[in-house]
């Protein structure tokens, strides 16, 4: 168990000490049209929404930063307080450590706060047998939900990260059936971890009971790069090279929002660094925007610092609504967006 705790500690440390972001933030290639005469008062703008049955003051979710090691308790506590005060959603990191016998306090801490949307988290690779490791069961999944009083459970797809991880779980056959089985009885969403979800994969997931997709495309943290740095620290040359070579692998986040829009609610994540990015994702078809890396350093400081940063993000979101003449999210979702640069090239390819 100490191995998992140490790995999670490494992930946070490396994310803060090294440049592990995508070399390009593709959200900057998406432009909105300025409305010079908005005809709406800023204070009258309503950015509230209902997502997966939960009422949010703004369609922003702090997505799956961490859990499973001592420092994570403080991070998740600070996040929970801020998200409660602001009325926005919160997801925890993978709960595998607690499900395999580790201390669950870094997760259960968020039960003490009235966060309007809480998202649990387990990995798809752990739903099947990996080498000498047992597969997580429906009982384990329910335990993950109960651990934080989760409204929904995210099953994360992190096979790129697993390939770059020295001790990675690299079996995948059977994961789809395992997800389908869980989704029959439990409130399940699917979350990528930085490489995006294609239209084909989204269509495969549609209709098996999955309630939403968190696309988490290329633009934000590359866990391939994180694992590459970690492998270097461990003197694991092979996995370090895999992490480096595939550090930019995946589907750009804005493209994944478009391509994965098959009728399931979408959380746009991967490089959402400010409220403009978040609002832009709503015009592209997302129902909520998820952010993690942008908030991490504040979450390590205090709940006040976390809340202060998130308040700025929400104001940036509302400013985008004001400057596009949008009184509510329905009007924002109907605004035009323009694709430029690499995102436009990707979109042209997908249209062929």
């Amino acid at each position: 168990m100490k191995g998992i705790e140490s790995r999670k500690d490494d992930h946070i440390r490396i994310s803060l000490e090294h440049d592990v972001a995508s070399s390009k933030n593709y959200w900057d290639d998406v432009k909105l049209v300025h409305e010079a005469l908005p005809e709406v008062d800023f204070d009258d703008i309503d950015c509230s929404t209902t997502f997966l049955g939960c009422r949010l003051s703004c369609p922003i979710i702090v997505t799956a930063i961490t859990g499973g090691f001592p420092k994570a308790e403080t991070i998740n506590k600070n996040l929970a307080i801020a998200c409660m005060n602001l009325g926005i959603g919160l997801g925890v990191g993978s709960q595998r450590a607690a499900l395999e016998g580790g201390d669950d306090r870094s997760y259960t801490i968020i039960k003490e706060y009235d966060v309007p949307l809480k998202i649990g988290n387990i990995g798809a690779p752990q739903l099947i047998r990996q080498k000498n490791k047992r597969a997580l069961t429906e009982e384990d999944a329910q335990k993950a939900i109960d651990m934080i009083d989760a409204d929904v459970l995210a099953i994360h797809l992190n096979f790129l990260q697993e390939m770059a991880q020295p001790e990675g779980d690299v079996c995948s056959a059977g994961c789809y059936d395992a997800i389908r089985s869980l989704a029959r009885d439990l409130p399940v969403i699917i979350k990528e971890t930085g490489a995006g979800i294609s239209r084909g994969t989204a269509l495969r997931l549609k209709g098996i009971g999955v309630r939403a997709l968190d696309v988490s495309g290329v633009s934000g943290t590359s866990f391939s790069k994180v694992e590459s740095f970690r492998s270097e620290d461990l003197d694991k040359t092979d996995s370090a090279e895999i992490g480096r070579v595939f550090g930019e692998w995946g589907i750009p986040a804005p493209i994944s929002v478009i391509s994965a829009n098959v009728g399931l609610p979408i959380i746009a994540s991967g490089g959402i660094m400010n409220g403009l990015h978040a609002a832009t994702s709503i015009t592209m078809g997302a129902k909520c925007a998820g952010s993690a890396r942008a908030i991490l350093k504040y979450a390590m400081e205090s709940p006040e610092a976390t809340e202060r940063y998130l308040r700025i993000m929400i104001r940036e979101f509302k400013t985008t609504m004001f400057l596009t003449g949008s009184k509510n999210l329905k009007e924002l979702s109907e605004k035009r967006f323009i694709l430029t640069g690499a995102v436009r090239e990707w979109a042209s390819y997908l249209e062929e």
Side-chain angles (χ1 to χ4, degrees):
M1 187 51 52
K2 289 298 182 182
I4 296 177
E5 293 180 2
S6 176
R7 183 163 71 241
K8 290 179 176 295
D9 194 358
D10 288 343
H11 290 162
I12 294 297
R13 174 183 57 78
I14 290 168
S15 295
L16 292 170
E17 292 178 356
H18 297 278
D19 182 4
V20 294
S22 166
S23 62
K24 178 177 177 60
N25 193 319
Y26 291 92
W27 290 107
D28 294 331
D29 281 353
V30 186
K31 309 298 181 183
L32 303 185
V33 179
H34 175 63
E35 175 53 71
L37 192 61
E39 285 296 304
V40 57
D41 294 338
F42 183 82
D43 290 341
D44 291 338
I45 290 173
D46 179 14
C47 62
S48 65
T49 190
T50 298
F51 183 69
L52 300 176
C54 300
R55 191 67 176 172
L56 304 178
S57 68
C58 187
I60 291 176
I61 301 170
V62 179
T63 52
I65 290 181
T66 193
F69 70 106
K71 294 177 186 176
E73 180 179 343
T74 298
I75 295 172
N76 283 334
K77 177 181 178 180
N78 292 343
L79 288 170
I81 293 171
C83 290
M84 174 185 68
N85 290 343
L86 296 174
I88 61 175
L90 172 62
V92 296
S94 172
Q95 293 168 264
R96 177 182 178 183
L99 293 174
E100 294 186 356
D103 187 358
D104 63 4
R105 180 58 180 168
S106 63
Y107 304 103
T108 59
I109 184 68
I110 78 168
K111 293 174 69 170
E112 300 177 13
Y113 303 95
D114 189 19
V115 179
L117 169 64
K118 296 189 288 292
I119 303 175
N121 190 336
I122 60 175
Q126 285 74 58
L127 298 181
I128 61 173
R129 187 174 179 82
Q130 300 280 349
K131 298 179 181 177
N132 297 321
K133 305 173 187 175
R134 73 175 183 90
L136 296 181
T137 65
E138 183 173 328
E139 182 180 353
D140 291 315
Q142 184 64 60
K143 184 178 178 181
I145 291 172
D146 296 340
M147 194 183 299
I148 65 167
D149 287 341
D151 298 285
V152 293
L153 176 67
I155 299 176
H156 67 257
L157 310 178
N158 70 326
F159 288 100
L160 171 59
Q161 179 185 10
E162 298 286 357
M163 285 303 305
Q165 193 176 99
E167 61 277 69
D169 293 331
V170 297
C171 296
S172 175
C175 285
Y176 178 80
D177 287 340
I179 292 168
R180 177 168 54 189
S181 178
L182 286 184
R184 290 193 189 108
D185 301 316
L186 300 175
V188 165
I189 70 173
I190 295 297
K191 173 179 175 53
E192 237 290 340
T193 59
I197 296 176
S198 69
R199 184 170 186 82
T201 300
L203 286 169
R204 288 172 62 206
L205 292 166
K206 184 181 180 181
I208 66 168
V210 171
R211 301 193 180 187
L213 301 175
D214 182 343
V215 298
S216 192
V218 178
S219 282
T221 300
S222 166
F223 275 96
S224 182
K225 293 183 181 181
V226 171
E227 295 295 355
S228 180
F229 282 113
R230 181 169 168 269
S231 293
E232 288 178 359
D233 292 343
L234 297 172
D235 199 26
K236 301 292 185 180
T237 304
D238 290 355
S239 53
E241 184 66 7
I242 291 290
R244 185 190 65 78
V245 169
F246 290 88
E248 300 290 333
W249 175 271
I251 305 166
I255 291 297
S256 200
V257 170
I258 296 172
S259 62
N261 195 342
V262 296
L264 292 172
I266 286 178
I267 301 171
S269 63
I272 299 288
M273 301 300 291
N274 52 54
L276 172 57
H277 289 159
T280 298
S281 77
I282 304 301
T283 70
M284 301 183 73
K287 296 301 181 184
C288 280
S291 185
R293 182 171 60 92
I295 303 159
L296 174 57
K297 67 178 181 179
Y298 303 101
M300 295 190 70
E301 181 180 338
S302 68
E304 293 80 13
T306 308
E307 182 175 340
R308 185 163 55 248
Y309 180 84
L310 288 167
R311 281 191 184 279
I312 293 171
M313 180 177 281
I314 292 170
R315 185 170 181 84
E316 292 166 345
F317 188 102
K318 292 184 69 174
T319 297
T320 308
M321 293 181 69
F322 181 69
L323 295 177
T324 56
S326 305
K327 297 178 183 178
N328 51 50
L329 293 182
K330 182 178 184 300
E331 291 188 3
L332 178 63
S333 70
E334 294 169 349
K335 299 301 180 182
R336 292 181 59 199
F337 59 88
I338 299 167
L339 304 182
T340 68
V343 169
R344 183 178 180 180
E345 294 176 12
W346 268 84
S348 298
Y349 173 76
L350 292 175
E351 292 170 359
E352 293 179 358

